[in-house]
Amino acid sequence: MDGASPGQNSAEDENANQQQPAGLEHFHKLLQDARTATSQVDRYKATLEKQVRLNGELCDPETIDIKVRHRPFAVYMKWQSDGKEALYAEGENNGKLVARPTRGLAALKGVWELQPDAPKAMVGCRYPVTEIGLEKMIERVCAYYFEEYQNEIASCDVHQEERDGRQVHIVELTFPSKDESQYSICKYYFDAESKLLYGLELCEWNYEGEPAGIAEKFVYRDIDAEQIPDDNEFRVDHPKYSLVSKR
């Protein structure tokens, strides 16, 4: 008789469930929910905490007040440390990043207009300004885990805790070697209420192939999608900005 024994189907189901560890399955669900939640946010204000490693050197942490509009894409940034400003608006300003440095020789020129991926625009950055924001972040993470990374050998821990008065799902993936991933440890932060992916911290490998320090850290805090910026706040001639050349 070809029928399965009473316990066979349940055993097969159990084996199927074991093909994807529970932690990874939970992580994928958080990513899907975050992508859906982010698609419902058109524009917002936030504070970006950023730190990256470039050419083996860990840059100083930066805290930046930002305003983001998803469509058409636009972002305004003002650094809390020195008042530096930058604005990029898709389809405006000849497609250029408009910036006003406040330190060093660059400040003497006043307002700069640069291609988003120009070397001067990329100083201290791992990504061009066109990749700033929650939507771009969730797109990169989903593209990696749903399209590029097909292995399931990472150790994945998912837990929930309170941070800054909010409940947060924290996902930590640990990879066995740099042959499996360019990062050794990846942490992702999901707000339990809004479901947004609001931060990540990726650690690299050292020259001996051992887990090392931060490669990149991006955390968006105090996200405000209610008191949203209007279109005038993505114009260089906004009266509160200093992005119009005086010459």
Side-chain angles (χ1 to χ4, degrees):
M1 189 171 181
D2 293 333
S5 63
Q8 184 174 341
N9 287 338
S10 60
E12 290 176 350
D13 291 341
E14 183 177 351
N15 289 335
N17 290 334
Q18 288 176 352
Q19 290 179 1
Q20 184 178 61
L24 281 174
E25 185 177 0
H26 191 180
F27 176 43
H28 288 173
K29 179 64 165 59
L30 290 170
L31 287 176
Q32 292 166 344
D33 289 346
R35 184 160 55 184
T36 299
T38 306
S39 71
Q40 297 170 358
V41 176
D42 178 59
R43 56 187 76 192
Y44 57 90
K45 301 177 182 179
T47 300
L48 170 60
E49 296 177 359
K50 166 194 166 188
Q51 188 172 27
V52 299
R53 187 180 302 273
L54 298 171
N55 300 317
E57 297 293 329
L58 186 63
C59 301
D60 291 335
E62 302 173 71
T63 304
I64 310 166
D65 295 325
I66 69 168
K67 303 173 186 178
V68 177
R69 182 183 67 200
H70 286 161
R71 275 165 288 279
F73 179 75
V75 57
Y76 168 79
M77 299 176 286
K78 186 171 185 178
W79 278 252
Q80 291 187 3
S81 60
D82 59 7
K84 178 172 67 174
E85 294 178 274
L87 184 147
Y88 173 82
E90 182 180 345
E92 302 289 337
N93 311 308
N94 298 314
K96 293 184 177 180
L97 168 70
V98 181
R100 182 182 62 83
T102 58
R103 294 180 180 177
L105 295 176
L108 297 178
K109 182 177 178 178
V111 176
W112 291 70
E113 294 185 4
L114 303 164
Q115 293 296 335
D117 57 355
K120 285 186 173 62
M122 292 293 295
V123 171
C125 300
R126 290 174 70 95
Y127 306 102
V129 66
T130 51
E131 293 296 313
I132 289 289
L134 297 172
E135 186 175 64
K136 302 295 185 177
M137 182 168 66
I138 187 64
E139 285 177 356
R140 288 197 302 272
V141 176
C142 284
Y144 182 70
Y145 287 104
F146 292 147
E147 299 172 18
E148 300 174 27
Y149 185 78
Q150 299 299 323
N151 296 325
E152 295 178 355
I153 58 176
S155 169
C156 182
D157 174 73
V158 183
H159 66 278
Q160 183 170 330
E161 64 181 59
E162 182 176 322
R163 290 198 171 191
D164 300 322
R166 299 184 67 86
Q167 290 297 312
V168 177
H169 297 291
I170 301 175
V171 177
E172 181 171 334
L173 291 99
T174 304
F175 296 89
S177 74
K178 60 182 179 181
D179 293 331
E180 300 298 332
S181 170
Q182 68 183 103
Y183 302 113
S184 58
I185 299 172
C186 300
K187 294 182 181 180
Y188 301 96
Y189 304 97
F190 299 84
D191 185 89
E193 181 179 349
S194 70
K195 300 188 183 301
L196 294 170
L197 171 67
Y198 73 88
L200 58 78
E201 182 176 332
L202 312 180
C203 296
E204 61 181 10
W205 305 93
N206 63 19
Y207 293 110
E208 298 178 348
E210 299 293 332
I214 292 174
E216 60 183 80
K217 177 181 179 181
F218 295 90
V219 179
Y220 294 84
R221 300 195 185 279
D222 303 321
I223 300 168
D224 185 352
E226 296 182 1
Q227 301 295 320
I228 59 174
D230 60 36
D231 287 336
N232 288 328
E233 294 180 69
F234 299 104
R235 294 178 55 88
V236 295
D237 59 357
H238 190 281
K240 292 186 178 181
Y241 305 163
S242 301
L243 290 171
V244 176
S245 177
K246 296 180 181 179
R247 292 182 297 175

